[in-house]
């Protein structure tokens, strides 16, 4: 049997393609601009985020000058920084936009999700300090094996090698963010996943998102300075030494803030000085 093919039938058959295209465009626009902001406000968000980051980084770098330097910065070999080139500036510019989009999604989730507590009176032990502690751990739990995967020769050459052009980082947020934008996007996706996991387990207060962003930014900046900052808070054993060892020996110490998962993977190494 043959169905009649009229002009009306042809129009109906052809219509799904532009509809699908329109839906795809809407999805892309929402991905980049979840708040549906006018372009000037969206650009203003990028600028505001960048200003806030630079203020935090300035505070970190000032504080770092009052902390004992890492042994590598006091040894006989002078640490020389590689000058930034056009690829560095291009990636830093791209990542500034990626970070703004990611923070926009986090804040949109906080503002719209019924699972996130927003009133100050609803802040408690479980959805506050416990949630923040778990968020730090879960983020590293997801990031450490992903980071290790980036060191597979196939991925390393095309993505992660750029970040490791610096052996002894000391420029704070510039060295911390100087990575391939694809790596940045994937890391942010894991961060978002960790946020949803914690929300499902303990509940989440909006203040935890702000606190976690601050912790991640500040400690990432410290990780890329030459100061010997280290502390242990509720089992979270942070040390700049661990991340410097990762830059010196890229097959080790894949965690960001804690080395728990490197010890599980067998990739943790302690700090080695010139004397050692």
């Amino acid at each position: 049997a043959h169905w009649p093919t009229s002009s009306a039938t042809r129009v109906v058959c052809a219509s799904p393609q532009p509809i699908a295209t329109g839906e795809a465009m809407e999805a892309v626009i929402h991905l980049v601009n979840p708040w549906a902001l006018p372009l000037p406000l969206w650009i203003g968000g990028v600028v505001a985020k960048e200003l806030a980051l630079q203020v935090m980084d300035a505070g970190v770098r000032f504080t770092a000058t009052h902390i004992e330097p890492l042994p590598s910065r006091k040894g006989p070999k002078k640490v020389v920084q590689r000058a930034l080139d056009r690829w560095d500036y291009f990636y830093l510019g791209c990542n500034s936009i990626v970070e703004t989009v990611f923070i926009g999604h986090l804040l949109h989730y906080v503002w719209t999700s019924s699972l996130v507590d927003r009133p100050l009176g609803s802040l408690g032990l479980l959805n506050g300090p416990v949630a923040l502690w778990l968020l730090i751990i879960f983020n590293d739990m997801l990031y450490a094996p992903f980071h290790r995967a980036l060191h597979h020769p196939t991925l390393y050459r095309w993505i992660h090698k750029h970040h490791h052009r610096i052996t002894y980082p000391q420029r704070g947020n510039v060295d911390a963010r100087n990575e391939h934008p694809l790596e940045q996007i994937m890391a942010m996706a894991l961060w978002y996943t960790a946020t949803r996991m914690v929300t499902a387990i303990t509940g989440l207060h909006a203040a935890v998102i702000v606190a976690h962003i601050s912790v991640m930014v500040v400690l990432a900046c410290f990780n890329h300075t030459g100061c010997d900052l280290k502390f242990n808070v509720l089992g979270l054993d942070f040390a700049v030494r661990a991340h410097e060892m990762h830059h010196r020996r890229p097959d080790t110490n894949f965690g960001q803030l804690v080395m728990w998962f490197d010890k599980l993977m067998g990739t943790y190494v302690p700090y080695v000085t010139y004397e050692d």
Side-chain angles (χ1 to χ4, degrees):
H2 296 281
W3 292 95
T5 307
S6 65
S7 59
T9 304
R10 286 194 295 270
V11 170
V12 170
C13 291
S15 62
Q17 185 174 357
I19 291 175
T21 303
E23 290 175 348
M25 282 301 298
E26 288 181 6
V28 170
I29 291 171
H30 177 74
L31 181 65
V32 175
N33 184 8
W35 291 89
L37 297 173
L39 183 59
L41 281 180
W42 187 87
I43 294 174
V46 176
V47 173
K49 185 276 307 175
E50 195 62 31
L51 288 174
L53 179 58
Q54 296 304 324
V55 168
M56 295 174 76
D57 181 59
V60 166
R61 297 184 70 177
F62 173 78
T63 305
T65 62
H66 294 80
I67 300 174
E68 185 75 14
L70 286 162
S72 63
R73 315 307 164 99
K74 299 185 292 185
K77 182 181 177 182
K78 183 180 179 181
V79 172
V80 179
Q81 278 287 337
R82 178 186 63 81
L84 299 177
D85 60 25
R86 67 180 186 277
W87 281 109
D88 297 312
Y89 289 114
F90 176 68
Y91 284 170
L92 286 168
C94 290
N95 288 336
S96 180
I97 295 173
V98 170
E99 292 158 1
T100 304
V101 171
F102 169 68
I103 291 174
H105 276 281
L106 270 186
L107 296 181
H108 188 267
Y109 173 65
V110 166
W111 188 257
T112 61
S113 175
S114 61
L115 302 175
V116 177
D117 300 310
R118 289 176 286 275
L120 186 59
S122 64
L123 178 62
L125 178 64
L126 199 60
N127 68 355
V130 173
L132 176 60
W133 189 88
L134 283 176
L135 189 49
I136 293 170
I137 296 301
F138 283 7
N139 194 27
D140 249 31
M141 178 182 72
L142 298 176
Y143 180 81
F146 160 72
H147 187 185
R148 185 181 186 183
L150 288 178
H151 283 263
H152 186 279
T154 303
L155 296 175
Y156 184 79
R157 177 184 177 187
W158 297 107
I159 299 177
H160 196 52
K161 183 178 180 180
H162 179 84
H163 186 68
H164 278 279
R165 295 199 296 168
I166 302 167
T167 305
Y168 293 95
Q170 65 182 34
R171 286 176 291 221
N173 94 89
V174 170
D175 288 344
R177 304 159 72 201
N178 192 5
E179 60 189 7
H180 195 290
L182 184 58
E183 176 181 349
Q184 180 88 315
I185 291 169
M186 291 187 288
M188 297 298 182
L190 294 176
W191 184 339
Y192 189 83
T193 301
T195 303
R196 299 297 295 262
M197 290 170 62
V198 172
T199 304
I201 295 172
T202 63
L204 190 71
H205 194 277
V208 171
I209 295 294
V210 177
H212 186 242
I213 291 173
S214 301
V215 168
M216 291 297 294
V217 169
V218 168
L219 295 186
C221 290
F222 270 118
N223 258 343
H224 293 83
T225 63
C227 75
D228 197 10
L229 176 68
K230 52 183 177 288
F231 59 81
N232 190 321
V233 178
L234 299 175
L236 301 178
D237 192 8
F238 173 83
V240 175
R241 290 181 172 215
H243 194 70
E244 188 191 84
M245 284 303 298
H246 174 68
H247 276 266
R248 289 165 56 189
R249 288 185 51 183
D251 59 340
T252 64
N253 297 4
F254 296 106
Q256 297 180 94
L257 306 186
V258 297
M259 291 293 108
W260 293 10
F261 305 104
D262 283 281
K263 291 175 181 177
L264 287 174
M265 295 187 296
T267 55
Y268 171 72
V269 295
Y271 192 81
V272 176
T273 64
Y274 285 105
E275 290 74 16
D276 297 331

